[in-house]
Amino acid sequence: MPTIGIFRAFAPRICTLLITALLIAANSAVAAPAEAPFSLLYSPETRLVLGEVTEINPAGRIVFKRIRVFDKSTDVPELVDVIVGETELASVRLGETYVVGYSLFHHDRKAGGVAPNRKGAILITSVGLEPALFRDAPVIRKILSLADSEHGRESRQMRRLLIDALSGSNRPLQLLAAGQLAYDIELGERLDSRDRDVIARVGLASGTDNRVRGLLISAAATRPGELGNWSGDAIREVLASTPVGGYPSGAMDPTGLVLLAFAEAHVEGVQVPLGSVTRWLRSPHRLLVEKSRVLLGAKFPADAKKALEEARDDPTLIQETRTYIDDQLRQFERQDAGSGAQQQGPG
């Protein structure tokens, strides 16, 4: 099975999306290094448990009564007290059962690895696990039971379960499937044309969860032979149709997806219409304006100055964006002045 080292070669292409996803979940779970979800869920530091909610503490804790342990761990207590965020507190119900992936450790950069978490058990958060909390259902039990072994992860049944989850309406399961498909290279090599059609349909759909869509787009851009050659169309659609401002908070915020589209358009050389780039010069989000300016200079250098002038004259522009564009135009003026002086030469 793949490890994090395999993905270092193309990690820059997905870092913007992953950073956004981890920031969204930062208050609710421990952010683990990016790797295939199954590898993390069955890592030595993780405990994967089916439990019934017996207590919801407004201070940010949920207590689960152990029903089943999915891995071979023998140290899971009967009552598992897990630190959670506001989203998780609001989403669970007393008496209902959930699959929860938690750890007693956190990733400590100062320590150069993992260290015990002094506050106790905390939910796992990583690619496809935002966080590792799933409402109990036969399908998640089946997926995780198969994922306990390499043979199960590589089975045709697992492939079918993941593809079905990807095209389904259960968001946590869809995200889990997207993370596994994006990060499990061996799984990608076993996909057939029908699987690739499903992946393309989900990745191209504007209504797909932004996190799911971003994972699929970045993976397809890197491995089109395995996941399908459709990422360019998705990147163009994201830049052409995503609203330039007024984003909701949380998982529905498309900022990470837009940043990913800009990065892929630059790294992969995706051809993007001029209008799809210049529209972002009017965004109230400074980072997106800057990314637009960079791509404009790389793809359309002859049109950059005019596009900036037109954006500056837009009365709806916020002052911060206008100031940035004015600064960019002054750079053009300095360049023009320098070129003129060079052409004139010494008197």
Side-chain angles (χ1 to χ4, degrees), residues 1-211:
M1 297 300 291
T3 65
I4 188 171
I6 295 175
F7 297 96
R8 286 175 180 158
F10 56 85
R13 295 180 173 89
I14 61 174
C15 67
T16 52
L17 177 74
L18 299 186
I19 289 171
T20 301
L22 293 178
L23 286 174
I24 290 170
N27 292 326
S28 63
V30 55
E35 57 182 305
F38 293 158
S39 297
L40 182 57
L41 288 174
Y42 284 95
S43 72
E45 295 83 19
T46 302
R47 298 295 177 264
L48 190 58
V49 178
L50 173 67
E52 176 187 344
V53 176
T54 61
E55 180 183 342
I56 302 174
N57 189 325
R61 308 185 82 97
I62 299 175
V63 178
F64 299 88
K65 182 179 180 181
R66 185 194 67 220
I67 297 174
R68 172 182 175 183
V69 179
F70 282 92
D71 60 18
K72 298 176 178 61
S73 301
T74 59
D75 58 353
V76 177
E78 182 180 358
L79 296 178
V80 181
D81 187 348
V82 183
I83 300 170
V84 301
E86 293 181 3
T87 300
E88 289 69 53
L89 282 176
S91 67
V92 302
R93 298 290 181 270
L94 283 172
E96 293 187 351
T97 54
Y98 298 82
V99 174
V100 55
Y102 72 92
S103 178
L104 294 172
F105 300 87
H106 70 280
H107 291 266
D108 191 331
R109 293 181 180 179
K110 293 181 179 179
V114 297
N117 186 50
R118 289 177 295 178
K119 295 183 179 180
I122 192 165
L123 287 176
I124 293 294
T125 291
S126 187
V127 174
L129 304 169
E130 298 180 15
L133 181 67
F134 304 89
R135 190 177 298 275
D136 184 27
V139 63
I140 187 62
R141 293 196 192 194
K142 189 175 296 184
I143 287 174
L144 294 179
S145 295
L146 283 172
D148 190 24
S149 69
E150 185 173 354
H151 174 74
R153 297 182 198 188
E154 296 177 354
S155 67
R156 179 186 295 270
Q157 184 182 12
M158 176 64 83
R159 194 179 73 196
R160 291 266 56 83
L161 287 168
L162 291 177
I163 291 296
D164 288 346
L166 186 68
S167 60
S169 58
N170 185 315
R171 290 296 178 89
L173 280 183
Q174 189 183 41
L175 187 60
L176 174 68
Q180 196 65 31
L181 287 162
Y183 272 69
D184 187 340
I185 297 225
E186 293 180 13
L187 173 61
E189 292 172 347
R190 295 191 299 273
L191 299 174
D192 59 29
S193 60
R194 290 175 297 178
D195 300 332
R196 287 189 288 273
D197 287 344
V198 172
I199 291 169
R201 184 173 70 250
V202 175
L204 286 165
S206 59
T208 297
D209 182 287
N210 292 321
R211 299 163 301 175

